[in-house]
């Protein structure tokens, strides 16, 4: 599958970054993994294959597809 770079709020090329999976329209998020135990304890319906990343709201509002 092909990834299309959508944007980043990072000035030095590190995360956070958004990508679109071209064939499906899904969004792939690159960011720092959430490790705060209090936050993790509040998450619901977590599958063993899932992880969570932190990204600034600005990244989503600036670069998320409008469709």
């Amino acid at each position: 599958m092909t990834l299309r770079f959508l944007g980043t709020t990072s000035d030095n090329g590190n995360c956070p970054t958004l990508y679109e999976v071209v064939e499906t329209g899904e969004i792939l998020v690159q960011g720092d993994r959430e490790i705060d135990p209090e936050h993790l304890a509040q998450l619901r319906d977590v599958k063993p294959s899932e992880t969570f990343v932190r990204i600034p709201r600005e990244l989503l509002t600036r670069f998320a597809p409008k469709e």
Side-chain angles (χ1 to χ4, degrees):
M1 294 206 178
T2 307
L3 294 181
R4 180 171 69 95
F5 172 79
L6 295 177
T8 184
T9 53
S10 175
D11 293 330
N12 57 7
N14 294 325
C15 59
T17 304
L18 293 178
Y19 300 88
E20 178 183 15
V21 180
V22 173
E23 292 80 0
T24 65
E26 295 171 303
I27 303 300
L28 184 65
V29 179
Q30 176 188 353
D32 289 327
R33 189 172 8 155
E34 178 59 77
I35 59 172
D36 185 308
E38 290 183 26
H39 290 169
L40 294 172
Q42 296 176 58
L43 298 170
R44 300 182 294 170
D45 304 320
V46 180
K47 298 176 190 173
S49 62
E50 293 177 325
T51 191
F52 300 86
V53 297
R54 289 176 171 252
I55 58 168
R57 181 179 299 271
E58 176 189 6
L59 178 62
L60 292 176
T61 59
R62 188 188 311 173
F63 294 108
K66 310 289 189 270
E67 296 125 31

